[in-house]
Amino acid sequence: MLAGALRVFFIWLSDRRFLGRMAMATPLVRRMPFRFVAGTTLHQAVAAVRALNTTGASATLDVLGESVDDRASADRAAAAYVAAIERIAAEGLDANVSVKLTGMGLDLGDEECLAVVAPIMEASDRHGIFVRIDMEGSAYTQRTLDIVERLRAGGHDVGPVIQSYLHRSVADVERLAVERVRTRICKGAYAEPPEIAHQDRGPIGDAFVELVCRLLEADAYPGVATHDTDMIDRVKAFATERGIGPDRYEFQMLYGIRRDLQRQLLAEGHRLRVYVPFGTEWWPYFMRRLAERPANVVFVLRSLVGDRG
Ligand code: FDA
């Protein structure tokens, strides 16, 4: 009950951009997210990716930023992605990128958004680097899937994210499975009403496994994005039972979360990709991580008080 209320509260905070701006201007608070964020610069993010690659993990780089409502800011965000792709290619890193369309001006209209992402597509095509399109709140689900479809029709190597809490996801995954679209499955990190989304862990988890298994059956190389050991075990069991090798899917986890489990999966011979966010616009991302696990607040406060070095 309390955890549910805190979840809603932190998701509400994630939408309060003025609080984010205030927080980012406060020196002590500015240090808060650094367990979950690789740094503020591309240089720091690249160092994190290099370290992950050394352990055998691949990465996906996320330039933090979302809900941009002017073209100039969206173009700047796209340029940051182009720079990230160029660095991945120049350094031969095992990494791709994850992009949020609201950070690319989706609120300005679909055509505007497509124009903003065009340079990212050009760079990713040139270097053969896959682009994941993250999924945001349900107001954007259909438009995000439509844009992914249009980018794919244009020959670009992109794939969407599907959230298992949404009822519509069964039908969405069925369509993606038929076309063997490389899709990430996650539980979903936004607050959605019961009319459109499961609210309880059980059905969200069951749907998660069902969606992943459908994509495994279709040989669509799903990204299994969770830190939930029960989900991971169920996916592993399905793959073993069907003789589906570990090269036909990858587990995905967030930077700084369940590093023990990340190491364990790699040691077992599984593929693992770590989502590495960086940049100064960390407020909404950080609030969603607190929403998933309110106990993180204690962790963060302790690190502020006890570890100022
Ligand atoms: P669950 O929340 O049950 O967590 C299982 C265990 O993991 C917890 O018991 C805890 O040990 C650990 N854990 C989970 N979250 C933690 C946290 N914040 N801090 C510390 N420990 C934590 N969502 C979305 O809507 N759109 C998207 O595009 C993406 N993209 C994405 C990419 C990747 C690589 C991942 C891993 C996740 C996403 N998500 C996402 C987020 C996802 O929807 C979901 O909110 C989180 O993964 C948390 O759910 P879990 O499946 O990990 O289970």
Side-chain angles (χ1 to χ4, degrees):
M1 180 93 166
L2 178 63
L6 284 172
R7 178 169 189 273
V8 171
F9 174 62
F10 283 121
I11 290 175
W12 179 84
L13 281 181
S14 75
D15 279 336
R16 305 277 100 63
R17 303 185 66 73
F18 68 99
L19 287 177
R21 276 194 292 277
M22 272 164 51
M24 283 180 259
T26 313
L28 186 64
V29 178
R30 217 185 289 142
R31 283 168 33 89
M32 284 197 337
F34 286 111
R35 177 187 163 191
F36 303 107
V37 172
T40 50
T41 64
L42 176 58
H43 188 71
Q44 289 168 313
V46 164
V49 171
R50 218 181 284 121
L52 285 164
N53 284 176
T54 322
T55 69
S58 56
T60 185
L61 276 177
D62 168 33
V63 183
L64 290 166
E66 48 200 86
S67 304
V68 163
D69 53 13
D70 68 285
R71 176 67 189 261
S73 304
D75 284 336
R76 268 197 304 278
Y81 270 104
V82 172
I85 290 170
E86 296 295 349
R87 271 298 280 284
I88 290 171
E91 304 221 7
L93 298 171
D94 184 357
N96 59 36
V97 293
S98 289
V99 177
K100 282 188 177 53
L101 292 184
T102 65
M104 301 289 128
L106 187 56
D107 288 327
L108 302 172
D110 291 11
E111 302 311 316
E112 197 92 351
C113 181
L114 280 163
V116 171
V117 299
I120 302 179
M121 294 302 131
E122 192 276 324
S124 78
D125 291 349
R126 192 156 28 87
H127 294 298
I129 291 174
F130 175 77
V131 178
R132 172 74 64 197
I133 306 294
D134 284 344
M135 190 54 83
E136 304 179 65
S138 59
Y140 298 104
T141 309
Q142 190 57 50
R143 292 177 62 202
T144 302
L145 290 174
D146 290 346
I147 288 186
V148 168
E149 200 173 314
R150 286 178 67 181
L151 291 172
R152 280 176 38 78
H156 304 297
D157 190 13
V158 302
V161 177
I162 294 289
Q163 298 152 324
S164 73
Y165 61 19
L166 290 184
H167 300 317
R168 61 171 287 162
S169 293
V170 176
D172 288 332
V173 161
E174 189 50 42
R175 272 188 294 276
L176 294 162
V178 169
E179 291 184 37
R180 296 181 61 220
V181 180
R182 184 170 162 183
T183 302
R184 172 195 297 153
I185 302 293
C186 67
K187 290 182 179 173
Y190 298 80
E192 303 292 359
E195 299 78 53
I196 62 164
H198 300 296
Q199 306 291 311
D200 299 325
R201 280 185 73 83
I204 295 172
D206 289 346
F208 183 100
V209 176
E210 187 189 325
L211 300 176
V212 171
C213 293
R214 178 68 192 98
L215 292 167
L216 283 172
E217 268 172 353
D219 202 12
Y221 196 77
V224 185
T226 183
H227 316 88
D228 186 328
T229 45
D230 181 42
M231 305 296 94
I232 292 170
D233 289 345
R234 287 166 68 185
V235 168
K236 280 187 202 166
F238 180 85
T240 307
E241 184 192 305
R242 297 293 176 98
I244 298 171
D247 55 333
R248 287 164 61 193
Y249 57 94
E250 62 184 33
F251 288 108
Q252 299 185 347
M253 295 193 197
L254 301 175
Y255 183 79
I257 296 183
R258 293 298 312 259
R259 291 190 183 115
D260 55 334
L261 190 53
Q262 297 183 12
R263 281 192 293 272
Q264 184 194 318
L265 287 172
L266 287 167
E268 288 171 0
H270 288 288
R271 289 188 176 176
L272 173 74
R273 185 177 303 277
V274 178
Y275 188 101
V276 179
F278 74 98
T280 52
E281 301 292 315
W282 47 260
W283 179 262
Y285 179 88
F286 182 47
M287 288 302 123
R288 287 197 294 275
R289 301 298 75 84
L290 296 184
E292 283 153 7
R293 193 161 177 264
N296 281 338
V297 174
V298 177
F299 170 87
V300 167
L301 291 177
R302 203 184 297 138
S303 71
L304 286 179
V305 175
D307 167 27
R308 287 162 177 260

